[in-house]
Amino acid sequence: MLSDEQFVRYQRQVALPDVGECGQHKLLNGRILIVGCGGLGTAAAQYLAAAGVGSLVIADDDCVELSNLHRQLAYRMTQLTLPKVAALAQTLASINPDCRVRTVQRKMAGSVLDLEVAHADIVLDCSDNLETRHAINAACFAARKPLIAGSAIGWEGQLVAFDFANQPQGCYRCLVPDDVTPTSGRCTDLGVMGPVVGSIGNLQALMAMQWLLQLNHFQSHQVMRFDGLNMQWQKWHLLNDPDCSVCCASPSKPHSTTNLASPINEDES
């Protein structure tokens, strides 16, 4: 049973027929790992905390800088030079005390990444570089944990989810091979429009809630790209690369596709 305070706090969600008190309890029991506390991660974390997700692990090794503030709205001038995970944890605590937040102030890789992925119900990739993205993808596939990857650069955003437990073919490496040179750079070089980043981060939060609520609307293996200048969405179905070294598709199957869309990375620094 929800407490009286919880019922009032989450009433607008509980009123939805596909949420209800049962769904709210699923959110309260949820455990989400967010890798990257930049524009994507801060947007997602705030909405997840506000919605009553019970446990968030936030990971980043950067500190808050002045150039972050135009798009990373969880941070304030008074938090400049603070570690991002500490500053974000302060903001989340002020939003909702129901949400338990644990911070990891380091780059996620190796056994630390594997352990955090194993303890999570779902993982949000909000990182800023392909090395980390591929490491997260491999760790989630190995642990059969769902992964929602978001990215943004310029006026464009990209979103893709993988339900590795139920559809173990096709992964981030099928979309962006790890042996190619990115055609686009970081937003320190090319710039990024703040609301685009926030929109993608918010949608990562929405998809994570859909998965925790066990809704049939969770769309995995769909590559979605948003054009912020023209306000248009494009969508592709991601097919597996039979030569992928991560999801280990059968080499006897016909080649479907690789690199469906060029990588776009949101600068978290």
Side-chain angles (χ1 to χ4, degrees):
M1 293 289 292
L2 299 176
S3 68
D4 291 344
E5 181 178 338
Q6 287 175 327
F7 186 83
V8 173
R9 177 184 287 271
Y10 307 120
Q11 193 276 332
R12 300 301 191 274
Q13 286 176 184
V14 172
L16 294 171
D18 42 9
V19 179
E21 285 200 49
C22 179
Q24 189 60 52
H25 276 292
K26 291 177 182 178
L27 296 178
L28 289 166
N29 292 327
R31 298 167 298 176
I32 297 181
L33 169 63
I34 301 175
V35 182
C37 296
L40 300 167
T42 53
Q46 289 180 93
Y47 265 95
L48 292 170
V53 172
S55 178
L56 296 179
V57 177
I58 54 175
D60 201 302
D61 62 347
D62 286 340
C63 294
V64 180
E65 299 178 4
L66 185 61
S67 61
N68 301 147
L69 301 186
H70 94 283
R71 69 196 184 281
Q72 301 177 17
L73 302 188
Y75 305 131
R76 301 293 180 263
M77 288 287 295
T78 55
Q79 295 175 317
L80 293 178
T81 74
L82 285 180
K84 284 187 174 180
V85 291
L88 181 55
Q90 291 176 0
T91 299
L92 299 180
S94 69
I95 291 173
N96 190 354
D98 277 347
C99 183
R100 301 177 301 277
V101 179
R102 182 164 60 83
T103 63
V104 181
Q105 189 185 345
R106 62 179 297 170
K107 183 177 180 179
M108 295 296 282
S111 59
V112 173
L113 174 60
D114 292 339
L115 182 63
E116 295 296 349
V117 167
H119 288 163
D121 293 324
I122 188 167
V123 178
L124 271 58
D125 180 358
C126 303
S127 62
D128 68 342
N129 64 89
L130 287 177
E131 179 184 1
T132 299
R133 289 184 178 277
H134 283 298
I136 295 169
N137 175 69
C140 287
F141 182 85
R144 295 297 191 266
K145 294 299 177 75
L147 167 65
I148 303 173
S151 52
I153 197 71
W155 291 85
E156 292 187 0
Q158 183 173 291
L159 183 68
V160 59
F162 303 96
D163 186 0
F164 290 133
N166 299 307
Q167 192 175 350
Q169 287 188 340
C171 68
Y172 187 79
R173 189 187 180 280
C174 296
L175 176 64
V176 184
D178 55 8
D179 57 352
V180 299
T181 301
T183 57
S184 55
R186 296 158 62 95
C187 72
T188 48
D189 303 317
L190 301 181
V192 66
M193 184 56 64
V196 173
V197 185
S199 297
I200 298 299
N202 289 341
L203 290 174
Q204 286 182 272
L206 180 61
M207 295 188 76
M209 291 172 63
Q210 289 177 341
W211 193 88
L212 290 175
L213 291 167
Q214 299 176 326
L215 302 182
N216 293 327
H217 302 283
F218 185 77
Q219 297 186 20
S220 66
H221 295 74
Q222 300 285 329
V223 183
M224 293 170 277
R225 174 168 286 184
F226 175 61
D227 179 347
L229 268 180
N230 297 304
M231 301 299 289
Q232 293 179 344
W233 282 93
Q234 291 178 298
K235 182 186 293 187
W236 299 271
H237 179 69
L238 176 63
L239 303 176
N240 64 284
D241 176 5
D243 297 321
C244 179
S245 61
V246 174
C247 59
C248 299
S250 172
S252 63
K253 293 183 179 181
H255 186 276
S256 53
T257 185
T258 58
N259 200 16
L260 266 178
S262 59
I264 48 180
N265 297 301
E266 198 275 321
D267 181 10
E268 303 290 349
S269 63

